Amino acid sequence: MESVIVHYQEIALKGRNRPWFVERLVTNLRQVLADLDVVRVRALMGRIEVVLGPDADWDETRARLGRVFGVANFSRARRTGRDLDELAAAILADLDGRPPRSFRVTARRADKAYALKSPEIERRVGGLIHAARGWPVDLGNPELNVRIEILPREAFYALDRHPGAGGLPSGTSGRVLCLLSGGIDSPVAAYRLMKRGCRVRFLHFHSYPILSHASRDKVRDIARLLTRYQLGSRLYMVAFGDIQKQVVVSAPPPLRVVLYRRLMMRIAERLARAAGAGALVTGEALGQVASQTLENLGVIDSVVTSLPILRPLVGSDKNEISDEATALGTYPISIIPDQDCCQLFTPRHPVTKARRGEVEAAERGLPIDALVAQALENAEHEDFSFPADAGAGSP
């Protein structure tokens, strides 16, 4: 029976908290593979074994494992006894008809009580393979690297290795709320927080029915795609068009964008606290647009009093963000034309260096508390899970 040996890296540095992180990673692996032919997922000494059933789809299994945060790398492997002759024979049988141009053996001895040390295991097994087939040995750049892992009661060997997503297991760093615009930046910001172990909930401000529902559809698609990485998501939808209308009739045009953003942050803070989120997340990058100058960000941030605001893209440029969105898979969705609330009632010359006193004076003509309450009262939400029929627990 085949297995997949999953290795983690950052989790191994967690000291006495490591078992809790490993347990969470095992739980996430079980969920992401729930609808595939997987017999068992279990923690071993310093690694995790995924036991594959006879009908397991390896291509799909590999794709899903590559998206699980906390996984450093993984290998398709076979379990054998710890006798080196048995181990070498199994490797040779597996490679029958597939001679490599060169090979080496790399051994890891998790069981330090095993009689031979790792270099001796490598020489012994490598020698047996070379004697049986005559394949050239290349320790620097082999075509095939046979990896052996010796555990207390069994051994594994693997003929390949695949990179994992890295980071920390989803759900180990608390919950955050990310403002998701449907553009290129905010999905990348959400992904970066997911990679640090956060469960990310999404908040989208829209102007439907004043504008079309295209932005809502895009954000649903983005949330669905990002759920493949954190397995369970909740998307909040807040109608913002009527609120923008009131800003338009009450405030000077150059201040409108800053006023919109301050209202959004007030709504987001209230929603985040109700959802048990410990921070707000945005896709803002310093200087990218008028509302994202240092002065404007300071004025916007001042309305949030009880939560930190995380901006993982603040020092990135547009090309870097676009490249990451492309790798993530959100870029093709984000560039679909739409009409969102950011384009509604936007002045031709927005202020780039807002003064807090001037903005607060403009807000005195608005029923701020009533507008926030109205937005929260009419907020909708939708839940997503991956796999779709496996359930996601608490998103």
Side-chain angles (χ1 to χ4, degrees), residues 174-180 190 194 198-204 230 232-236 271-272 274-277 279 281 381 383 393-395:
R175 181 182 292 163
V176 298
L177 180 68
C178 179
L179 280 69
L180 196 64
M194 291 177 189
C198 289
R199 288 279 193 181
V200 181
R201 288 189 171 186
F202 309 115
L203 168 58
H204 178 62
Q230 68 173 358
S233 301
R234 174 166 290 181
L235 168 63
Y236 296 98
L271 195 54
V281 180
H381 75 265
D383 290 338
S394 177

Side-chain angles (χ1 to χ4, degrees), residues 9-10 16 54 91 114-115 129 138 142 177 180 188 194 211 225 241 254 263 288 318-319 348 368 395:
Q9 188 169 3
E10 190 170 352
R16 278 183 265 181
I91 293 168
Y114 190 73
I129 294 174
D138 184 348
L177 180 68
L180 196 64
V188 177
M194 291 177 189
L211 299 177
L225 188 151
L263 279 161
Q288 190 175 113
K318 197 66 176 183
N319 288 337
R348 180 174 298 181
I368 296 294

